[in-house]
Amino acid sequence: MSRQGVLKFFQACVEDEGLLRRFNPKSLPELLLHARSSGFEFTRDELANVIGVMEAHTITERLHEEVNASSSLWPRMWGKPRLQYVIDELYLPFSEAERARFSAGAR
């Protein structure tokens, strides 16, 4: 389905905490397999693209930093499952309009 599928998956995780808890411990290959069997169609590259665009936007536009190893975004993932970090720190802070831009690959 593409990047829209990634965002639909993220929204489903927000709306259904049980879904998020079920997916949090999964590795990337497991997440992709189980997301597909749950009706969410996206590839590893599409997932990585959406997350990368959201991270870059957060760092450059919201934090006014350069994308590098010393960004203040990175410590926010410490101690969290990767998916939880994506939902909490990347997905939820953005408006629907911003998320729509990310589905198109825009920053």
Side-chain angles (χ1 to χ4, degrees):
M1 179 170 239
S2 77
R3 286 177 278 217
Q4 292 87 359
V6 173
L7 294 174
K8 286 181 182 179
F9 174 67
F10 291 164
Q11 186 61 40
C13 288
V14 168
E15 293 172 0
D16 181 351
E17 193 173 310
L19 182 69
L20 180 59
R21 274 195 313 270
R22 197 168 73 236
F23 277 90
N24 261 337
K26 301 208 179 303
S27 67
L28 179 57
E30 291 171 324
L31 183 139
L32 293 168
L33 174 69
H34 291 284
R36 180 172 293 241
S37 37
S38 297
F40 300 100
E41 297 287 331
F42 54 86
T43 66
R44 173 186 296 225
D45 289 342
E46 291 160 343
L47 180 64
N49 180 271
V50 171
I51 292 170
V53 167
M54 293 170 92
E55 285 177 329
H57 185 85
T58 298
I59 292 167
T60 61
E61 301 299 318
R62 292 193 169 189
L63 300 173
H64 306 288
E65 299 173 351
E66 290 185 34
V67 178
N68 60 37
S70 60
S71 169
S72 61
L73 178 63
W74 307 137
R76 295 182 196 178
M77 72 172 67
W78 296 350
K80 291 184 184 181
R82 176 81 169 148
L83 181 59
Q84 189 73 53
Y85 152 76
V86 168
I87 298 299
D88 293 347
E89 303 298 335
L90 302 177
Y91 183 77
L92 284 175
F94 290 108
S95 69
E96 281 188 44
E98 289 170 314
R99 293 175 192 156
R101 286 183 32 226
F102 297 142
S103 73
R107 291 185 184 189

